[in-house]
Amino acid sequence: MWCSTLFTSILAAAATVDAYGIKKHVNYEVVTGVFKQDDAATEASSFNFTAENFGLIERKYPSDWTYWLQKPTSWQRLNRYIESLNLKAKHNERYTLLFLGRHGEGYHNAAETYFGTPAWNCYWSEKDGNSTVTWADAHLTPKGVAQAQDVNKFWKKLLTKEKIAAPQSYYTSPLFRCLDTARLTFAGLPLPKTRPFVPTIKEYFREGISAHTCDRRSTKSYIHANFPTYRFERGFAEHDPYWTALHAEPAADQDIRSKTVLDDVFASDRGTYISVTAHSGEIASLLRVLGHRVFGLSTGAAIPVLVKATTVVGSAPATSTLPYAPQKTCAVPPAIRDSSCNDCSCCT
Ligand SMILES: *[C@@H]1O[C@H](CO)[C@@H](O)[C@H](O)[C@H]1NC(C)=O
Ligand SMILES: *[C@@H]1O[C@H](CO)[C@@H](O)[C@H](O)[C@H]1NC(C)=O
């Protein structure tokens, strides 16, 4: 049974692009040499960010000077370095440290592993679940909860022992697995009173919008009932305006909206330390927009990116969008288990 009756199709993705009405846009560059993740020699698939102090490279900074007399931690020296960069920056430039976190394992992740990718993509993912498990706007599995709790312990150590600068603001995708991962990651931490954990939910930090029901968000009332302290960005609709049954957002559109939402954050938020909780595909898209190399994150993993942002007047170069593309499905799950037929050419 398809979900096409739940929401009317919105094929005009173009209408969403200027949702934030931005007249200026931002050019992003990654400040390399600070984190191991932007070094081509670092293998993403085996990289354990909690065992590696978030990937922070042990190095000297020009701003160290006599600061070492105070026996600062490496994170305190980095914070001072970022401060010094911002003091010297031109009026339209700034340096911001982004913490991009992927949600812990959700029931949709577990289901894809269970059914195999072809059967998942071409059959099961378009359903809300089976008789025992729901994966529409998937919740975290017990493993996903444990992953987020591990990251919470890691942040506790960073804040108390490493004296990392706490995020000044928090953003999250509107999908349940991210809302819950952000809560579990930052709950009960010794955060500064001036920087409480009050995330803002932003539509465009959501995952690439496929026909999978795990990409359809819940209603605003449901989100509010479950996460009463979270803020919604302006204009956040009661029902998901973007998910479209049996249609998928083209990849190019995702990068355009990733840039739009980043530009919106940089236009409205003067913070130097910003946390975003999102998805594997969306973080990959954000990294492309930021000019970072490809760095895949497993469920529950996070990556820091030191960004130089330069605000320029005018529209972003790529602002046109393609319509959502119809997504192929199979009437019965394909038997093949490897990922050789993700276009559903193996339907039987
Ligand atoms: C990563 O390292 C942490 C701390 O050293 C350890 O507890 C955890 O099990 C490791 N995770 C993986 C997936 O190996
Ligand atoms: C439903 O799917 C899950 C995988 O997410 C699986 O563990 C479970 O056994 C399935 N239930 C039935 C009744 O097949």
Side-chain angles (χ1 to χ4, degrees):
M1 194 197 82
W2 311 114
C3 303
S4 49
T5 51
L6 287 180
F7 295 96
T8 16
S9 282
I10 300 172
L11 293 175
T16 67
V17 142
D18 291 321
Y20 298 108
I22 290 166
K23 304 284 187 295
K24 292 175 181 173
H25 78 105
V26 185
N27 289 330
Y28 303 95
E29 287 165 75
V30 174
V31 180
T32 56
V34 175
F35 295 105
K36 291 173 187 165
Q37 288 90 330
D38 62 52
D39 181 343
T42 305
E43 178 55 55
S45 59
S46 58
F47 190 75
N48 182 342
F49 76 107
T50 60
E52 298 268 356
N53 199 16
F54 237 141
L56 184 63
I57 294 170
E58 281 303 326
R59 53 163 281 188
K60 292 190 168 71
Y61 301 102
S63 52
D64 285 348
W65 284 67
T66 56
Y67 188 39
W68 61 270
L69 286 169
Q70 298 173 33
K71 296 198 171 23
T73 67
S74 300
W75 280 100
Q76 285 175 311
R77 288 189 302 107
L78 172 63
N79 297 339
R80 176 159 293 209
Y81 179 52
I82 297 172
E83 247 171 63
S84 75
L85 292 173
N86 276 322
L87 280 173
K88 281 184 288 194
K90 296 195 191 114
H91 73 282
N92 63 335
E93 295 171 352
R94 62 190 272 201
Y95 294 83
T96 299
L97 182 54
L98 296 173
F99 299 103
L100 309 177
R102 182 182 175 192
H103 61 81
E105 185 193 74
Y107 281 100
H108 64 308
N109 302 123
E112 178 170 354
T113 306
Y114 177 80
F115 294 113
T117 298
W120 170 251
N121 279 345
C122 304
Y123 185 80
W124 293 102
S125 65
E126 287 83 23
K127 299 175 174 295
D128 282 3
N130 62 10
S131 60
T132 48
V133 172
T134 299
W135 50 72
D137 194 13
H139 290 204
L140 297 176
T141 64
K143 180 182 166 187
V145 169
Q147 287 170 326
Q149 287 168 339
D150 282 348
V151 182
N152 177 269
K153 281 196 203 103
F154 177 56
W155 268 104
K156 188 170 275 176
K157 185 177 128 202
L158 287 171
L159 288 161
T160 54
K161 197 162 153 260
E162 308 290 345
K163 314 265 187 239
I164 196 174
Q168 287 157 301
S169 37
Y170 299 84
Y171 296 93
T172 164
S173 150
L175 290 154
F176 196 96
R177 52 196 181 273
C178 290
L179 301 166
D180 210 24
T181 296
R183 180 179 66 81
L184 292 164
T185 301
F186 296 105
L189 289 177
L191 295 172
K193 286 221 160 33
T194 52
R195 300 181 183 187
F197 171 64
V198 183
T200 301
I201 305 168
K202 291 186 88 66
E203 288 276 20
Y204 281 13
F205 278 131
R206 67 195 298 159
E207 184 55 304
I209 307 161
S210 71
H212 300 185
T213 59
C214 59
D215 295 326
R216 187 186 69 215
R217 72 160 166 84
S218 297
T219 61
K220 184 180 184 181
S221 331
Y222 178 85
I223 296 171
H224 178 67
N226 283 279
F227 302 95
T229 60
Y230 288 24
R231 293 191 185 123
F232 293 92
E233 69 180 336
R234 203 156 44 89
F236 194 90
E238 173 65 8
H239 292 283
D240 188 344
Y242 298 108
W243 187 84
T244 304
L246 296 180
H247 286 76
E249 173 190 41
D253 288 6
Q254 187 175 4
D255 285 6
I256 292 170
R257 72 161 156 90
S258 293
K259 176 154 168 49
T260 304
V261 68
L262 278 176
D263 283 12
D264 182 59
V265 165
F266 276 79
S268 59
D269 183 331
R270 295 304 302 167
T272 303
Y273 303 97
I274 295 177
S275 162
V276 177
T277 306
H279 309 261
S280 60
E282 178 55 17
I283 292 174
S285 172
L286 293 168
L287 291 179
R288 281 194 293 276
V289 169
L290 295 169
H292 194 285
R293 77 181 185 109
V294 173
F295 196 88
L297 298 178
S298 51
T299 47
I303 179 172
V305 184
L306 180 56
V307 172
K308 179 186 181 186
T310 309
T311 300
V312 293
V313 175
S315 297
T319 51
S320 66
T321 54
L322 303 163
Y324 281 23
Q327 200 151 297
K328 284 188 196 148
T329 57
C330 303
V332 291
I336 189 165
R337 275 199 67 89
D338 68 38
S339 45
S340 59
C341 77
N342 291 337
D343 60 355
C344 309
S345 57
C346 51
C347 291
T348 45

